[in-house]
C-alpha cells in the first residue's frame, strides 16, 4: 500500500472515532457511559434519566429535590425545614452544616458513604447543632449522638408520631386496643348496570365477573375501559392512563413510589427483574401497572392486598407474613365478614387514609415505609398502643419475622416525656 492509502485509512478512522466520542458526549444526558457511580436505592430506578436531577451541563438543578419531595416533607411536618435556617439566630449552625441544602446530607453517586434512607453523612451529625442537649435534659445526659435517630426516638424530618405532646397523650395504653378497627372504604352512589346492559358479551365468566363487581355497580361499562375514545377501535389492552382518568388519587400515589416511578419518569415500566430486592424468579418480566395487583374483571381488592404482592416479592419479611397473627386474623375477618382485626400487606404498606375529606387507599407503598415510624399513625395505632408500636418497629428481627412474637426492644421516650411533664 502506498503512503497515501495509509493516510486515507488513518483519516477515516480518526474522523469516525471523534464522531463517535462527540456523539456520546453530546448524548451524555441520557447515557450510562459517563455516570460517575451508581445512585442510591431511592433513585436507581430512574438513574438513567440524568435530566431528572441535572442541568444539561451536569450541574444539579436548584429545585430537583423539591419538585418531587416537597409534598412528602410537608405531609410529614418536617421538623427541620429550610426556613428554620434562614433565621439569622441560626446562622452559626449553618456555618457548621448547611442544612438549607438537601445535598449536604443526601448526595448521589457515592455508594461507599451512603447509609439508610440515602443519608450520606455520619449519623452522629445531630451534635453539630444540639451538642448541649445533655445539659438541658437530665434524661439525655449520657446518650451518644449516634443514637438520636437510630433508637426509635427521633427523625430528622418526620416526627409526627414522636413529638413530646403526642407521646404524653398516648402514655399508658394497653398493647392491643379494645376498640381496634380499620377505616371502612366509601362507595359512590351511582346508577348500577346489570348483566343485560353490557356493551359486549365475550364469554360468560367475564360477563359474570364484571356484572357482579364494583365497576358495573358504579355504572362503568365495557367500552369505558376498552374503547374510552369512540374515534379509536376497541382494544383488548387497557392502559394505565385509562384507569387514571377515573382514579386520579390512586394513580398519583402509584406514580410516586417504587412501583410506578419509572412510568412517571417516562421510562419503561418497572419489572421484578430490575429490582435490588429479592423477587420471585418467574415474575422477572412482569410489568408494573394497575393490573399487576388488580387483575381479571373482578378487580378483587382482597386478592390485591396479599396474593398479588406474593406473586412478586420473596424477601424473608414478605414470606414470613403468612405465619403471623396478623394474617391469621385477616383470614378470620373474611370468614366472619368483619373488617376490624386482620392486617394484610396493604394495611401496613397501602393504608386507608383520610385525604382532603375522603377515605383513599394510599397507592404509594413508599409513603410510610421509611423511616418506619411513619406507619404508626397510618396503621398500628388503629389497633395497638403507641408504646407497643414504637417498640415493635424498633425491633429489626421482629420486622423480619413479620411481627410474629412480642417486641424485645423497649424505647424509653414515653417515660422520659411523662417524667418531664410531671416536673
Ligand atoms: C436523583 C438525582 C440524580 C440523578 C438521576 C443523577 N444524578 Fe448525577 N448527581 C446528583 C447529585 C445530588 C450529585 C452531587 C452534587 C454535589 O454534591 O454537588 C451528582 C453529581 C454528578 C456528577 C459530578 C460527580 C462528581 O464526583 O463531582 C456527575 C458527572 C453526574 N452526577 C452525572 C450523572 C449522570 C451522567 C447521570 C445519568 C446517567 C446522573 N448523574 C443522574 C444527582 C443525580
Ligand atoms: C441535616 C441533614 C439533612 C438535610 C439537610 C436533609 N435531609 Fe433528608 N434526611 C435526613 C435524614 C437523617 C433522613 C433519615 C430519616 C429521618 O431521620 O428523618 C432523611 C430522610 C429523607 C427522606 C426519606 C424519608 C422521609 O421522611 O420522607 C427524604 C425523601 C428526604 N430526606 C428528602 C430531603 C430533601 C428533599 C431535602 C432538602 C429539602 C433534605 N432531605 C434535606 C437528613 C437530611
Ligand atoms: C423525579 C423525581 C425525583 C427527584 C428529582 C428526586 N427524587 Fe428522591 N425519590 C423519588 C422517588 C420516587 C423515590 C422512591 C420512593 C420513596 O422512597 O419515597 C425517592 C427516594 C428518595 C430518598 C430515599 C427515601 C427512602 O425511603 O429511603 C431520599 C432520601 C430522596 N429521594 C431524596 C432526594 C434528594 C435529596 C433529591 C435531590 C438531589 C431527590 N430525592 C430527587 C423521586 C425523586
Ligand atoms: C443544622 C442544625 C441542626 C441539625 C443538624 C439538627 N437540628 Fe434539630 N433542630 C435545629 C433547630 C434550629 C431546631 C429548632 C429549635 C427550636 O425551635 O428551639 C431544632 C429542633 C429539634 C427538635 C425539637 C422538636 C421539633 O420537632 O421541633 C428535635 C427533637 C431535634 N431538633 C432533633 C434533631 C435530631 C435527632 C437531629 C439529628 C438527626 C437534629 N435535630 C439535627 C437544628 C438542627
Ligand atoms: C374497569 C375496566 C374494565 C372493564 C369495565 C371491562 N374490562 Fe375487559 N379488561 C380490562 C383489563 C384491565 C383487561 C386486561 C388487559 C391487559 O392485559 O392489558 C381486560 C381484558 C379483556 C379482554 C381480553 C381477554 C382477557 O380476558 O384478557 C376482553 C375480551 C375483555 N376484557 C372484554 C370485556 C368485556 C366484554 C367487558 C364488559 C362486560 C369488559 N371487558 C369490561 C378492563 C376492563
Ligand atoms: C369510566 C371510569 C372508570 C375507569 C376507566 C376505571 N374505573 Fe375503576 N372504578 C370506577 C368506579 C365508578 C368504581 C366504583 C367506585 C365506588 O364504588 O366508589 C371503580 C372501582 C374500582 C376498584 C374498587 C373495586 C372494589 O371492589 O371496591 C378498583 C380496584 C378499580 N376500580 C380499579 C380500576 C383499574 C385498575 C382500572 C383500569 C384497568 C379502572 N378501575 C378503570 C370507575 C372507573
Ligand atoms: C401493589 C398493588 C397495587 C397496585 C399496583 C395498584 N393497586 Fe389499587 N389497590 C390495591 C389494594 C391492596 C387495594 C385495597 C386496599 C384496601 O382494601 O384497603 C386497592 C384499592 C384500589 C381502589 C379502591 C379504592 C377505594 O377507595 O375503594 C381503586 C379505585 C384502585 N385500587 C385503583 C388502582 C389504580 C387506578 C391503579 C394504577 C394506577 C392501582 N390501583 C394500582 C393494590 C394495588
Ligand atoms: C408485578 C410485581 C409486583 C407486585 C404485584 C407487587 N410488587 Fe412491590 N415491588 C415490586 C418491585 C419490582 C419493586 C421495586 C423493588 C426494588 O426497587 O428493589 C417493589 C417495591 C415495593 C416496596 C418498596 C421497597 C423499598 O425498599 O423501597 C414495597 C413496600 C412493596 N413493593 C410492597 C408491595 C405490596 C404490599 C404489594 C401488594 C399490595 C406489592 N408490593 C405488589 C414488584 C411488585
Ligand atoms: C404489620 C405491618 C406489616 C405487614 C403486615 C407487612 N409489612 Fe412489609 N414492612 C413493614 C415494615 C415496618 C417494614 C420495614 C421498613 C423499614 O424499617 O425499612 C417493611 C418492609 C417491607 C419491604 C421492604 C423490604 C426492604 O428490605 O427494603 C417490602 C418489600 C415489604 N415490606 C413487603 C411486604 C409484603 C409483600 C407483605 C405481605 C406479604 C408485608 N410487607 C407485610 C411492615 C409490614
Ligand atoms: C387492624 C388492626 C391491626 C393493625 C393495623 C396492626 N395490628 Fe398488630 N396485631 C393485631 C392483632 C389482632 C394481633 C393479634 C393479637 C392476638 O394474638 O391476640 C396483632 C399482633 C401483633 C404483634 C404480635 C403480638 C403478640 O403478642 O404476639 C405485633 C408485634 C404487632 N401486632 C405489631 C404491629 C405493628 C408494628 C403494626 C403497625 C405497623 C400493627 N401491628 C398493626 C391487629 C393489628
Amino acid at each position: 500500500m502506498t503512503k497515501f492509502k495509509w493516510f486515507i485509512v488513518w483519516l477515516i478512522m480518526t474522523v469516525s472515532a471523534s464522531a463517535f466520542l462527540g456523539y456520546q458526549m453530546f448524548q451524555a444526558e441520557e447515557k450510562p457511559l459517563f455516570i460517575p457511580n451508581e445512585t442510591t436505592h431511592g433513585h436507581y430506578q430512574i438513574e438513567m434519566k440524568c435530566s431528572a436531577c441535572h442541568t444539561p451541563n451536569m450541574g444539579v438543578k436548584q429545585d430537583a429535590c423539591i419538585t418531587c419531595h416537597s409534598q412528602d416533607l410537608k405531609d410529614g411536618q418536617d421538623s427541620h425545614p429550610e426556613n428554620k435556617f434562614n433565621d439569622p439566630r441560626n446562622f452559626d449552625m449553618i456555618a457548621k452544616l448547611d442544612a438549607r441544602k438537601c445535598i449536604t446530607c443526601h448526595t448521589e453517586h457515592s455508594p461507599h458513604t451512603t447509609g439508610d434512607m440515602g443519608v450520606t453523612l455520619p449519623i452522629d451529625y445531630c451534635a453539630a447543632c444540639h451538642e448541649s442537649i445533655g445539659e438541658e435534659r437530665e434524661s439525655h445526659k449520657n446518650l451518644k449522638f449516634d443514637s438520636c435517630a437510630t433508637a426509635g426516638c427521633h427523625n430528622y424530618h418526620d416526627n409526627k408520631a414522636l413529638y413530646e405532646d403526642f407521646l404524653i397523650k398516648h402514655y399508658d395504653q394497653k398493647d392491643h386496643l379494645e376498640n381496634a378497627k380499620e377505616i371502612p372504604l366509601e362507595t359512590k352512589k351511582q346508577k348500577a348496570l346489570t348483566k343485560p346492559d353490557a356493551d359486549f358479551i365475550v364469554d360468560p365468566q367475564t360477563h359474570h365477573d364484571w356484572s357482579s363487581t364494583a365497576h358495573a355497580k358504579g355504572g362503568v361499562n365495557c367500552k369505558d375501559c376498552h374503547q374510552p375514545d369512540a374515534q379509536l377501535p376497541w382494544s383488548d389492552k387497557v392502559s394505565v392512563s385509562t384507569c387514571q382518568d377515573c382514579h386520579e388519587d390512586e394513580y398519583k400515589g402509584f406514580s410516586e413510589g417504587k412501583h410506578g416511578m419509572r412510568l412517571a419518569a417516562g421510562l419503561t415500566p418497572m419489572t421484578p427483574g430490575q429490582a435490588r430486592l429479592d423477587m420471585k424468579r418467574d415474575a422477572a418480566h412482569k410489568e408494573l401497572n394497575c393490573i399487576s395487583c388488580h387483575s381479571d374483571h373482578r378487580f378483587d381488592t382482597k386478592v390485591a392486598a396479599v396474593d398479588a404482592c406474593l406473586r412478586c416479592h420473596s424477601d424473608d419479611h414478605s414470606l414470613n407474613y403468612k405465619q403471623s397473627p396478623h394474617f391469621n386474623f385477616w383470614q378470620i375477618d373474611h370468614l366472619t365478614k368483619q373488617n376490624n382485626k386482620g392486617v394484610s400487606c396493604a394495611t401496613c404498606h397501602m393504608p386507608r387514609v383520610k385525604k382532603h375529606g375522603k377515605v383513599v387507599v394510599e397507592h404509594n407503598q413508599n409513603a410510610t415505609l421509611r423511616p418506619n415510624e411513619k406507619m404508626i399513625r397510618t396503621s398500628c395505632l388503629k389497633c395497638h398502643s403507641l408504646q407497643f408500636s414504637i417498640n415493635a418497629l424498633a425491633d429489626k428481627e421482629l420486622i423480619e419475622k413479620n411481627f410474629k412474637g412480642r417486641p424485645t426492644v423497649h424505647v424509653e421516650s414515653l417515660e422520659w416525656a411523662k417524667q418531664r411533664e410531671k416536673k
Side-chain angles (χ1 to χ4, degrees):
M1 248 198 289
T2 64
K3 266 191 187 160
F4 181 71
K5 275 190 188 150
W6 275 116
F7 174 73
I8 296 290
V9 171
W10 172 81
L11 194 69
I12 292 171
M13 283 172 70
T14 311
V15 169
S16 32
S18 24
F20 174 73
L21 283 176
Y23 176 75
Q24 290 294 348
M25 304 262 271
F26 184 68
Q27 286 279 306
E29 221 209 323
E30 309 292 345
K31 286 272 167 180
L33 218 56
F34 292 88
I35 192 163
N37 219 325
E38 62 183 11
T39 47
T40 55
H41 69 92
H43 300 128
Y44 83 95
Q45 287 192 21
I46 56 164
E47 79 182 4
M48 289 315 161
K49 178 134 174 154
C50 317
S51 61
C53 301
H54 287 289
T55 57
N57 55 3
M58 287 292 127
V60 176
K61 285 185 195 163
Q62 195 70 40
D63 55 355
C65 321
I66 303 298
T67 323
C68 295
H69 289 293
S70 67
Q71 195 58 45
D72 32 300
L73 295 182
K74 224 179 269 161
D75 291 348
Q77 292 163 16
D78 193 357
S79 302
H80 296 87
E82 190 186 332
N83 60 23
K84 220 173 218 177
F85 302 106
N86 289 333
D87 182 338
R89 278 170 299 178
N90 292 335
F91 278 2
D92 56 326
M93 295 182 177
I94 297 298
K96 283 187 255 177
L97 194 150
D98 191 351
R100 294 167 305 177
K101 291 207 187 83
C102 313
I103 56 175
T104 302
C105 306
H106 302 285
T107 188
E108 272 298 349
H109 316 294
S110 176
H112 304 297
T113 56
T114 305
D116 288 348
M117 294 176 265
V119 180
T120 46
L121 279 185
I123 49 171
D124 58 357
Y125 72 88
C126 313
C129 305
H130 296 293
E131 58 192 345
S132 57
I133 189 71
E135 295 149 33
E136 290 156 28
R137 286 172 184 256
E138 187 63 24
S139 56
H140 285 51
K141 213 166 209 160
N142 296 312
L143 298 179
K144 294 213 172 70
F145 278 102
D146 62 9
S147 69
C148 317
T150 53
C153 299
H154 298 291
N155 292 315
Y156 181 74
H157 296 296
D158 186 332
N159 289 293
K160 274 201 342 256
L162 302 173
Y163 65 87
E164 264 179 301
D165 291 349
F166 193 75
L167 300 179
I168 292 167
K169 188 174 152 210
H170 292 86
Y171 185 72
D172 217 13
Q173 288 173 318
K174 279 197 202 141
D175 290 355
H176 303 281
L177 304 180
E178 265 154 31
N179 56 347
K181 61 175 175 304
E182 176 60 289
I183 314 175
L185 291 171
E186 294 161 357
T187 47
K188 290 193 211 90
K189 290 244 165 3
Q190 220 110 16
K191 195 177 169 294
L193 299 174
T194 54
K195 272 190 160 182
D197 300 319
D199 290 329
F200 278 97
I201 297 173
V202 279
D203 60 85
Q205 188 67 46
T206 306
H207 197 199
H208 170 80
D209 289 348
W210 165 78
S211 66
S212 59
T213 53
H215 283 109
K217 292 201 180 92
V220 182
N221 216 324
C222 318
K223 281 188 181 168
D224 292 322
C225 287
H226 289 286
Q227 197 176 8
D229 182 346
Q231 307 298 314
L232 295 172
W234 169 283
S235 160
D236 274 0
K237 298 262 176 241
V238 178
S239 72
V240 171
S241 66
T242 304
C243 313
Q244 179 189 356
D245 286 342
C246 297
H247 298 300
E248 193 55 58
D249 283 328
E250 287 80 6
Y251 173 78
K252 189 166 178 294
F254 172 76
S255 68
E256 288 166 349
K258 289 271 176 72
H259 287 148
M261 68 188 284
R262 280 183 59 90
L263 267 183
L267 302 167
T268 54
M270 185 62 185
T271 58
Q274 296 165 273
R276 287 186 181 176
L277 291 177
D278 291 339
M279 295 279 157
K280 297 260 157 70
R281 280 237 190 103
D282 59 0
H285 302 295
K286 280 197 181 129
E287 293 189 340
L288 267 152
N289 51 33
C290 307
I291 56 175
S292 309
C293 301
H294 300 296
S295 45
D296 67 44
H297 285 91
R298 288 192 303 275
F299 296 87
D300 187 337
T301 52
K302 293 182 187 89
V303 172
V306 174
D307 294 348
C309 321
L310 291 172
R311 277 181 226 144
C312 295
H313 286 278
S314 78
D315 55 282
D316 291 338
H317 160 85
S318 301
L319 297 179
N320 286 338
Y321 166 72
K322 290 205 166 171
Q323 275 86 54
S324 71
H326 285 149
F327 176 62
N328 212 358
F329 276 98
W330 194 67
Q331 287 175 301
I332 295 172
D333 274 2
H334 287 264
L335 290 173
T336 55
K337 299 232 183 302
Q338 283 182 332
N339 193 8
N340 51 18
K341 279 190 143 183
V343 178
S344 67
C345 312
T347 313
C348 293
H349 293 295
M350 301 179 65
R352 299 174 185 179
V353 291
K354 291 204 173 104
K355 270 192 189 167
H356 26 89
K358 267 197 308 185
V359 177
V360 294
V361 174
E362 174 54 82
H363 272 65
N364 173 0
Q365 74 304 315
N366 282 89
T368 61
L369 186 64
R370 282 183 294 258
N372 66 27
E373 290 89 356
K374 285 185 180 178
M375 239 177 238
I376 293 176
R377 289 179 72 135
T378 55
S379 303
C380 317
L381 284 191
K382 288 172 183 166
C383 307
H384 297 291
S385 71
L386 181 60
Q387 179 76 68
F388 180 81
S389 309
I390 291 183
N391 292 348
L393 290 168
D395 186 338
K396 287 214 160 65
E397 273 171 49
L398 189 58
I399 296 176
E400 179 154 326
K401 286 190 277 182
N402 216 314
F403 305 99
K404 183 183 184 210
R406 298 188 54 79
T408 55
V409 174
H410 180 78
V411 178
E412 286 175 288
S413 51
L414 276 89
E415 282 112 16
W416 291 348
K418 191 73 188 168
Q419 279 160 14
R420 208 174 139 90
E421 189 205 21
K422 280 189 196 144
K423 277 190 192 154

